């Protein structure tokens, strides 16, 4: 095994479902020893959710808990709490994403943790930060709705839409991981732990900052020229849904390609970057648009984006998405094929970089997972399978100094 960036860091992982586990999985990929604490007999609820093989840990669990060790502890028993105390003393970071107040109700308060280990970093995901909703339980789509993503996603004539990208869960997990690493770094100087909080609403809003930008532009100018509502539609007081329009200053749209009638993903994203406008005109067979004053400047084109993209689509519909991509790339015209999950799963380049990995599991067999999206030249990622429930209980309790007899007694009383 190669040396890893977080070698020597030990994480007490109290996370479940998606947001917290994303964070601790990233830390594990970077070398941390992640000890996942689960409830005896049940474990993380995702072990049993969306199962595709009866009795086998669901992919929901296996894909979020690689490179971790699993320990079962009933934290609502005195012996379970005693094990936790030793874990707190021997770990650097406690990560949790319980409902608000659950950790305190278990008796694991900040004060108790500080008394046991003042160097410990306590990192939490919650749905909301302090404010009217701070006591609420939150799942992905609630965060997308409360963070501004849903109201700004979808088409003008349709309802708010949530996106398939788990920006509330995995997005917040990323924020939390960064907060933890920064707190570990600060601890090298201060010698102290600290609390790290990553609210899901805040994470989603942070990813929606361009819409907060547009809200202020709209308030000042009452229009947004790059939105599909311009020039014919009406703007209200809040940023409207922009369909597939590009979020930046370069107009873009999703256009049909050859085969769209039967293939739901035969589309390409096409960006009419100003610098390559002459090349766009040439490729689609409209050389006259280069000098036509209705089309020649970005400002003029904003008035005609609908007809422009319909004309470009007439061209893209004559090519499949990969042919179109190849031609457009020759002219540096920014574009991207709409890739299905099937195409992505089969993409050899993503396998080669470890962004998609095949993992072997003792009860499931081989399955695909995402690998580490962060590549480090001196800290390679080796993805190993997720643990079975309680697979490492004896090993970890032994490392904490409990004798085999003590472990057997705790098991008999249902504490582990
Ligand atoms: N031993 C004993 N009890 C345990 C335990 C263990 N090892 N692990 C958990 N528990 C208990 C908790 O103490 C809690 O008990 P109390 O309600 O009596 O305090 C109970 O299990 C349930 O915890 P929970 O409320 O966190 O779990 P839930 O399934 O009801 O809610 C969720 C799940 C995600 C809505 C909630 O945890 C939450 O809002 N978390 C914060 C936001 C978040 O991370 N959301 C994203 C989840 S990913 O989509």
């Amino acid at each position: 095994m190669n040396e890893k960036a977080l070698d020597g860091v030990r994480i007490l992982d109290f996370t479940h479902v998606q947001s917290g586990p994303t964070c601790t999985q990233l830390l594990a990929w970077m070398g941390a020893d992640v000890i996942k604490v689960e409830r005896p007999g049940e474990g993380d609820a995702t072990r049993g959710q969306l199962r595709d093989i009866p009795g086998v840990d669901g992919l929901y669990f296996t894909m979020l808990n690689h490179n971790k060790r699993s320990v079962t502890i009933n934290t609502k028993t005195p012996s379970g709490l005693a094990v936790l105390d030793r874990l707190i003393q021997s770990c650097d970071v406690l990560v949790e994403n319980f409902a608000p107040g659950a950790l305190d109700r278990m008796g694991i308060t900040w004060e108790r943790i500080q008394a046991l280990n003042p160097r410990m970093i306590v990192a939490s995901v919650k749905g909301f930060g302090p404010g009217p909703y701070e006591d609420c339980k939150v799942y992905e789509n609630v965060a997308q709705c409360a963070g501004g993503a849903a109201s700004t996603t979808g088409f003008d004539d349709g309802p708010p839409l949530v996106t398939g990208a788990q920006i509330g869960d995995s997005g917040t997990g990323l924020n939390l991981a960064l907060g933890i690493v920064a707190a570990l770094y600060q601890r090298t100087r201060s010698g102290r732990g600290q609390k790290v909080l990553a609210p899901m609403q805040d994470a989603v809003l942070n990813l929606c900052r361009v819409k907060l930008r547009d809200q202020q532009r709209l308030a000042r100018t009452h229009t947004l020229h790059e939105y599909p509502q311009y020039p014919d539609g009406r703007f209200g007081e809040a940023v409207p849904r922009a369909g597939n329009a590009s979020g930046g200053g370069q107009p873009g749209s999703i256009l049909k390609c050859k085969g769209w009638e039967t293939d739901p993903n035969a589309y390409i994203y096409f960006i009419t970057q100003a610098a390559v406008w002459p090349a766009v005109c040439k490729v689609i067979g409209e050389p006259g648009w280069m000098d036509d004053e209705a089309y020649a400047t970005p400002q003029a084109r904003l008035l005609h984006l609908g007809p422009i993209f319909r004309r470009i689509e007439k061209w893209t519909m004559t090519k499949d998405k990969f042919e179109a991509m190849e031609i457009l790339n020759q002219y540096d015209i920014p574009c991207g094929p709409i890739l299905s999950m099937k195409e992505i799963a089969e993409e050899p380049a993503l396998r080669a970089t470890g962004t998609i990995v095949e993992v072997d599991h003792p009860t499931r067999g081989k399955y695909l997972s995402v690998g580490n999206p962060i590549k480090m030249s001196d800290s390679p990622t080796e993805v190993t399978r997720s643990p079975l429930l309680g697979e490492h209980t004896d090993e970890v309790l032994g490392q904490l100094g409990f004798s085999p007899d003590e472990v057997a007694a705790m098991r008999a009383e249902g504490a582990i």
Side-chain angles (χ1 to χ4, degrees):
M1 281 263 194
N2 289 298
E3 196 193 313
K4 305 277 180 5
L6 296 180
D7 275 348
V9 173
R10 186 174 282 176
I11 312 271
L12 169 47
D13 181 10
F14 246 138
T15 67
H16 65 153
V17 202
Q18 186 179 165
S19 61
T22 332
C23 164
T24 50
Q25 179 169 265
L26 271 173
L27 301 173
W29 282 339
M30 292 177 177
D33 176 14
V34 175
I35 301 169
K36 182 170 173 110
V37 176
E38 298 181 78
R39 215 194 307 231
E42 307 167 35
D44 189 324
T46 57
R47 286 189 187 266
Q49 284 173 358
L50 311 176
R51 275 192 171 143
D52 55 330
I53 307 175
V56 170
D57 287 339
L59 287 164
Y60 197 6
F61 177 84
T62 61
M63 293 175 71
L64 281 156
N65 291 287
H66 292 118
N67 299 60
K68 303 182 185 178
R69 297 196 280 170
S70 166
V71 174
T72 50
I73 302 173
N74 183 345
T75 60
K76 293 192 172 147
T77 61
S79 327
L81 270 181
V83 177
L84 262 183
D85 282 354
R86 278 204 210 169
L87 272 170
I88 290 168
Q89 281 164 331
S90 69
C91 287
D92 300 284
V93 188
L94 184 158
V95 191
E96 62 93 21
N97 67 312
F98 288 127
L103 206 59
D104 285 348
R105 286 194 292 277
M106 278 181 193
I108 309 169
T109 58
W110 170 244
E111 290 71 28
R112 180 183 181 122
I113 295 167
Q114 282 278 287
L116 289 165
N117 180 0
R119 288 173 58 80
M120 174 155 268
I121 290 152
V122 178
S124 304
V125 169
K126 294 288 167 262
F128 293 91
Y133 305 121
E134 65 185 306
D135 292 329
C136 297
K137 289 189 173 186
V138 168
Y139 282 105
E140 171 68 48
N141 288 346
V142 175
Q144 288 199 25
C145 292
S151 70
T152 54
T153 303
F155 290 94
D156 198 27
D157 56 357
L161 215 60
V162 294
T163 133
Q166 305 284 283
I167 56 179
D169 279 339
S170 291
T172 309
L174 274 168
N175 286 359
L176 193 70
L178 180 58
I180 289 169
V181 173
L184 281 167
Y185 185 65
Q186 187 174 0
R187 195 182 71 171
T188 61
R189 299 190 306 275
S190 70
R192 290 192 308 277
Q194 62 181 299
K195 290 187 262 188
V196 179
L197 172 67
M200 296 168 73
Q201 181 187 37
D202 302 35
V204 172
L205 173 59
N206 184 269
L207 295 172
C208 289
R209 78 179 62 195
V210 297
K211 300 300 179 181
L212 185 58
R213 172 200 69 195
D214 292 347
Q215 181 61 43
Q216 294 170 83
R217 293 170 59 220
L218 180 68
R220 194 178 304 273
T221 65
H222 311 292
T223 183
L224 295 166
H225 289 183
E226 76 283 17
Y227 275 55
Q229 290 80 358
Y230 179 81
D232 308 320
R234 286 167 53 84
F235 286 90
E237 289 188 351
V239 172
R241 296 186 261 287
N244 287 316
S246 167
Q250 310 289 346
S253 191
I254 288 188
L255 306 177
K256 292 170 184 157
C257 290
K258 199 196 242 172
W260 66 274
E261 299 90 336
T262 52
D263 176 355
N265 295 303
Y267 288 84
I268 191 165
Y269 201 93
F270 195 109
I271 298 176
T272 56
Q273 189 198 10
V276 291
W277 178 247
V280 173
C281 299
K282 194 172 152 193
V283 168
I284 64 169
E286 293 288 354
W289 280 7
M290 286 185 220
D291 303 316
D292 185 332
E293 65 178 31
Y295 300 98
T297 65
Q299 207 57 29
R301 289 197 288 278
L302 286 175
L303 285 165
H304 311 288
L305 287 182
I308 286 173
F309 282 119
R310 280 195 290 280
R311 175 63 189 90
I312 298 173
E313 190 173 57
K314 265 173 79 177
W315 177 82
T316 57
M317 281 166 71
T318 66
K319 312 273 178 272
D320 74 38
K321 61 189 176 190
F322 298 110
E323 286 167 356
M325 175 100 178
E326 209 176 307
I327 295 167
L328 297 170
N329 276 341
Q330 289 168 23
Y331 296 92
D332 287 336
I333 298 170
C335 60
I338 308 305
L339 294 181
S340 70
M341 243 337 129
K342 182 168 186 297
E343 287 165 331
I344 289 170
E346 292 164 357
E347 169 60 53
L350 293 174
R351 303 279 186 107
T353 57
T355 297
I356 291 188
V357 290
E358 191 174 71
V359 185
D360 206 0
H361 185 276
T363 52
R364 156 171 297 284
K366 289 193 166 42
Y367 67 95
L368 287 187
S369 186
V370 291
N372 193 347
I374 302 165
K375 318 294 181 191
M376 296 170 73
S377 67
D378 210 13
S379 182
T381 301
E382 290 138 68
V383 178
T384 60
R385 70 169 173 85
S386 60
L388 301 173
L389 179 61
E391 186 175 343
H392 304 95
T393 304
D394 289 44
E395 177 185 297
V396 170
L397 266 62
Q399 285 174 348
L400 291 173
F402 291 99
S403 71
D405 285 349
E406 286 174 312
V407 173
M410 281 191 255
R411 187 159 281 129
E413 72 180 68
I416 57 171

